[in-house]
Each structure stands twice: as structure tokens, then as C-alpha cells.
Amino acid sequence: MMLSSDKCTAKRSKSEPVIHSLPEGIMHDIVSRLTLKDAVRASLVSTSWRRLWTFHSNLCFDSPTILNREYGTLSRSSSRRGRRRRRFIRRVDAILESHSGTGVRRFDVTFALDARHTEHLDRWLKFALDSRASEIAVNLHPVFYRGSVRSYEWEDAYTLPSHMFSSQGASYIESLELVFASLKLPRDFYGPLKLRVLDLQSVHVSEGDLELLLSKCSALECLRLGRCYPVLNLKVQKPLCRLRNLSVRGCQLQVMEFSAPNLAKFEYSGQAIPITLSESMKPTEATVTLLGYDDTLEHVFTELPKTLSRVETLSVNACINTEVVGFSNCLMKFTHLIKLEVTVSILGDSRIRNGILRLVSLLEVAPLLQRLELNMLPHVSVGVSNEPESYWHFQPCAHRHLEQFEVSGFIGLRGQLEVVLCILDNAVALRRMSIEPRVTAYDRVFGHWAGFEHNIGKGRACALAFFSPEDYPGVQIEIF
């Protein structure tokens, strides 16, 4: 039977995919949700889609996308590395030449490039700025070769162009991430910037440039600094009223001063240094890792509360020397602390218990503590000290809020045993305690070391002998 032309048209329209009839703006949004590689592949489906990828909003240039090669080690052959870099550069240039330059939201370059490729990197960043990208990430990480690690010299690092921080160039940037690069502000830099997120990892920047940059970032909400060099003193006098997250890790700082009234999360990893945060700051969550081999428990109990007195959740990594007796300064209090995780590397003579016993002071410095997780990493030896032990006496302190107490790395040292017994006897509200002879925490100071695994049996036997459920009927005791 012959069909009318209207019916044929209706039949053809029904057979066509609905996606072809979507408005162009919606199509651009759909394609932008794909990876750049998948967006290019999708352009082969239909002639009407051929140019859709040129409006892709997330331009991510990395080895898997551009070279179809996963990250990994490369050969030592400089010629092969050079060919791979040249191929990467050519393909990125070709993509940017075909891209419309409109609608770009994120611009990301992740590849091992340096100052020798300044011309190309400058051109790519100019494209990002001209496209008004709001998120820019440049990760020029060093390459690990087979059998050796490339030594990274700051003289070879790529330096961001000065127009990145001009009033016109930076007016659209809300997030800036840099890895293995150099940052130098122009002499006429005056800001302000609209940055909400600033992430600098292994970036060469002076303390003056960094302080000046931060002083112009009044909209900053998240700041992450990792292994930046040669920053020594980080002092930001102007209040960062919108800053919520602050992370400073592995920087060789001597002093750190911040003013951020609304800070909620604080993270620090480095040497025990003076950290000054304004009195109006109320971070509720903090992580502090004190690196080095010196006893840093006193810094935790006498200095950190000055900065983090109102913190509610705290994770601390420190070192203890068994031969240290008591504290030289007055203990301060964490007045709002509810949950505490303490990881301590124990150094010194295993026969001496003074240094470890000081951990009992946790009951005094955190009067409202409800949950305590104590991870101990014993790196002790016998016979290090021939001096007679000067015993440090702990004054009983009834704690009425601690309900859960977890211990790991318990290998039966005398100091460990007395710490747990003191907490058991003084935590009158304790409901549950668990003892784990194995080390469960990662030692950030020494790395994970299983050399004392042979003491697990000794630790378990000690726990079974001294922590009897009959002696503590109101406490659920678990020994693993």
C-alpha cells in the first residue's frame, strides 16, 4: 500500500534519533561531559557532530589522552623522550588550532616539560586566558626512568608568564594548580585576584612573592602548599575571610602566621615550628604531622593547643624519646576536642618508660575527649642509655567523657603497659577498649617498618595477662 507523503515524513522523523534535534547548546553540554578523547570519537558518528568537540569545555592534555600511553617509567634514551615530547606538543598544538576557543572551563596540561618548552607552554596558557578558562592546572612532574630518578633542578623549571597575573589575564581564573614550576610575580603586580582555589606543589617561589600573592586573594577558599621552595617565613597579615581549607605540607618553614576567621580544616606537615593563627579562627578539623627524630610530644601538648584550642577532630603524628622526663612548659588544653588520633614513633631505650608515660597527659589536655585512637610505632633498642631512670609520676586525673579507646602497636613495653593501665583506671566513662599488637598506622617519619613483628606474640600475651575483663566489668575489652 502506498503511503502519503505526510506519513512518509512522519515515519522518517520518528526513525531519526531524538538527539539530532536537540538545541546546539545542550549538545555542547553533553559533549563536554565526555573526555576530550571520547568527544573527538563522537564527532565521527555524524557529519552534524563533526565540530561539536571544538566547543569542549574541559581541555585535558595528558599522556593517556594525547599519546594513548599510560603513565609509567620511560627509557633512558634521550632521543626517545625527545620524540615523545615533540609528538605531544604537535598534537596539543593541532587540537588548540582547531578548537573554537569558546566555552572553555578547565584547561589542564599534565606532562614532563620544562623551561626548554617555554614557547609552547606560554602559547597554551595564552589560549587558556583568551578562552577565559576558570580552572587552570599545569603539572610538569619529573619523569622516573628505568633504574634511576631524574634529578630535578629549579633552573630547568618552567616559569609562568607574567601576564598570568595581570588584571586582565587573571580576571577569570578561579582555580590555579601548579606542580613542578616556578612562580615569579611581575614588578607591577597589584591584584586583586578572583582565585578561590590555589594549589602549589613543588613550586619554586620566594616568601615575598607568595605573601604578596596571598594578600591579593581575598576570595580564596582553599589553599594547598606542598614542598614549595625556598619559602622560609610564611606571614599573611591581611585576613583571608573566605578561606575554609588550609594545607601546608613539606615546606621548609621557620614561621607560619595566618589570619583566616572562617577556617574549618587545617593540615600541616613539617618541622615543629611556631604556628600563629588569629584568635577568631575556629577550625573544627586538623591534621598535624611533626617530622624529624626529636621528641615532639611537648610541642603537641604545649604549643598546638594555642593554635587549635577549639578543634573538635584532631590527628597528630609525633615522636617520643623514652628518656625524656616530663614537660618543661605548662600543658595547654584542647577545650573542644572530641575525637583524637595520635600516632607516635617511640625512640630510645625500651627499658625506660618515662617518655611513653607522658601520653597519659592526654586525659588532662583534652577534658571533653570521647574517642582516643593511639597508634604506637616502637623503634626502640636495649642498652642505649646507661643512666639510671628518673621516674616521672603521673597525678591521677579522672576523665568523665572518654568512651572509646583503641591501641595499636602494643608489643608489651613497660611504658606502653603503664599508659594503657593509667587510662583504664582514670577514664571512668570508658565503655570499649581494643588492643592490637600489630602496627596499623603508617609511620610518616620512618615509613612503614615491620621489623618488630616478632614482638606481636609478646604484646598479645602481655595484654591478656593485664587487661582482664573481670577487673574492668563495665568495659568491653577486645584483644586481637
Side-chain angles (χ1 to χ4, degrees):
M1 183 181 295
M2 298 293 293
L3 296 176
S4 66
S5 59
D6 292 340
K7 291 183 178 180
C8 289
T9 303
K11 186 175 182 179
R12 284 197 302 269
S13 63
K14 289 181 180 180
S15 64
E16 292 179 356
V18 178
I19 194 170
H20 284 295
S21 61
L22 292 176
E24 189 177 81
I26 295 180
M27 287 299 301
H28 291 167
D29 182 67
I30 293 175
V31 171
S32 291
R33 296 175 187 271
L34 304 175
T35 64
L36 181 59
K37 182 185 295 186
D38 290 338
V40 174
R41 289 174 177 172
S43 66
L44 303 177
V45 174
S46 170
T47 55
S48 60
W49 292 6
R50 187 166 298 170
R51 298 287 301 171
L52 280 179
W53 76 268
T54 64
F55 294 90
H56 201 280
S57 61
N58 298 320
L59 297 180
C60 178
F61 304 120
D62 54 18
S63 185
T65 301
I66 304 301
L67 300 180
N68 294 319
R69 180 186 178 89
E70 295 297 329
Y71 295 112
T73 58
L74 300 177
S75 67
R76 296 183 181 180
S77 172
S78 60
S79 61
R80 184 176 299 179
R81 295 195 302 269
R83 289 195 300 270
R84 189 170 291 119
R85 288 193 180 99
R86 288 192 293 271
R87 187 162 60 250
F88 180 87
I89 291 171
R90 285 197 307 268
R91 293 182 179 180
V92 172
D93 284 340
I95 291 174
L96 295 183
E97 185 178 351
S98 300
H99 197 277
S100 65
T102 60
V104 178
R105 181 179 62 84
R106 181 172 180 84
F107 188 90
D108 189 338
V109 176
T110 302
F111 202 75
L113 301 172
D114 51 40
R116 294 171 296 177
H117 311 97
T118 296
E119 177 185 354
H120 306 288
L121 290 166
D122 283 354
R123 185 171 62 252
W124 298 347
L125 287 177
K126 184 178 184 304
F127 176 91
L129 294 176
D130 293 342
S131 302
R132 300 183 179 182
S134 59
E135 301 177 15
I136 295 179
V138 179
N139 185 346
L140 309 179
H141 58 85
V143 180
F144 291 86
Y145 302 103
R146 293 191 182 100
S148 66
V149 179
R150 175 190 178 193
S151 61
Y152 194 87
E153 301 292 342
W154 287 116
E155 290 77 8
D156 300 331
Y158 167 70
T159 302
L160 262 67
S162 58
H163 60 261
M164 280 283 295
F165 303 100
S166 65
S167 58
Q168 182 178 1
S171 58
Y172 299 100
I173 304 177
E174 297 182 5
S175 174
L176 178 61
E177 304 172 28
L178 296 180
V179 181
F180 282 101
S182 180
L183 191 155
K184 296 180 181 179
L185 295 182
R187 294 182 178 179
D188 57 348
F189 175 75
Y190 58 89
L193 303 178
K194 296 183 179 180
L195 281 174
R196 293 187 299 104
V197 177
L198 179 61
D199 189 343
L200 305 180
Q201 304 296 322
S202 298
V203 171
H204 187 273
V205 57
S206 68
E207 61 182 65
D209 280 348
L210 183 56
E211 293 171 10
L212 178 59
L213 176 63
L214 294 177
S215 67
K216 303 299 182 180
C217 296
S218 58
L220 199 62
E221 299 174 5
C222 177
L223 173 62
R224 292 187 289 266
L225 304 175
R227 301 175 302 279
C228 293
Y229 179 85
V231 179
L232 295 177
N233 299 317
L234 182 56
K235 300 180 180 180
V236 182
Q237 304 297 335
K238 184 178 179 179
L240 299 176
C241 298
R242 297 187 181 182
L243 189 65
R244 299 284 295 172
N245 297 321
L246 173 61
S247 174
V248 180
R249 299 176 57 86
C251 300
Q252 299 179 1
L253 297 181
Q254 297 177 353
V255 176
M256 183 167 66
E257 296 181 6
F258 265 89
S259 177
N262 297 303
L263 190 66
K265 185 176 181 180
F266 174 70
E267 182 178 13
Y268 173 78
S269 175
Q271 300 295 323
I273 63 170
I275 300 177
T276 303
L277 304 177
S278 63
E279 296 180 358
S280 59
M281 299 179 70
K282 301 178 182 180
T284 59
E285 182 179 351
T287 301
V288 178
T289 300
L290 301 177
L291 303 177
Y293 304 96
D294 297 328
D295 187 289
T296 52
L297 190 63
E298 177 163 342
H299 186 87
V300 174
F301 288 168
T302 62
E303 296 297 327
L304 286 186
K306 298 177 183 178
T307 301
L308 305 171
S309 63
R310 301 181 65 86
V311 73
E312 297 177 2
T313 302
L314 176 62
S315 176
V316 174
N317 193 307
C319 270
I320 287 181
N321 190 317
T322 60
E323 302 168 32
V324 176
V325 181
F327 302 99
S328 58
N329 296 314
C330 296
L331 301 183
M332 307 295 290
K333 295 185 183 298
F334 295 98
T335 56
H336 290 67
L337 191 59
I338 297 176
K339 180 180 177 181
L340 174 62
E341 177 186 354
V342 180
T343 300
V344 289
S345 298
I346 303 174
L347 310 175
D349 193 331
S350 61
R351 300 170 302 179
I352 301 178
R353 62 186 186 276
N354 270 323
I356 307 177
L357 267 178
R358 293 176 300 156
L359 287 169
V360 184
S361 299
L362 289 168
L363 299 180
E364 180 181 352
V365 300
L368 300 181
L369 190 64
Q370 298 179 13
R371 178 175 177 177
L372 172 60
E373 182 178 335
L374 180 57
N375 305 309
M376 292 181 279
L377 302 107
H379 299 270
V380 292
S381 57
V382 176
V384 174
S385 173
N386 296 320
E387 297 295 329
E389 180 174 6
S390 173
Y391 188 69
W392 176 63
H393 296 277
F394 168 74
Q395 297 296 330
C397 175
H399 197 286
R400 305 188 182 280
H401 296 275
L402 186 63
E403 298 179 354
Q404 186 171 344
F405 179 36
E406 302 175 12
V407 182
S408 68
F410 183 87
I411 62 173
L413 296 179
R414 183 179 177 184
Q416 290 180 317
L417 176 61
E418 294 193 18
V419 165
V420 177
L421 286 174
C422 283
I423 293 179
L424 265 175
D425 292 336
N426 289 274
V428 296
L430 194 64
R431 296 292 177 264
R432 180 179 179 274
M433 184 186 75
S434 64
I435 302 292
E436 171 60 83
R438 297 181 184 275
V439 172
T440 61
Y442 178 78
D443 190 340
R444 298 180 180 89
V445 178
F446 297 94
H448 183 70
W449 180 60
F452 48 85
E453 294 289 343
H454 62 278
N455 291 324
I456 288 177
K458 178 184 175 181
R460 183 178 293 110
C462 178
L464 291 172
F466 286 92
F467 308 133
S468 173
E470 289 77 14
D471 296 335
Y472 302 94
V475 182
Q476 178 185 351
I477 300 178
E478 296 178 333
I479 301 175
F480 298 97

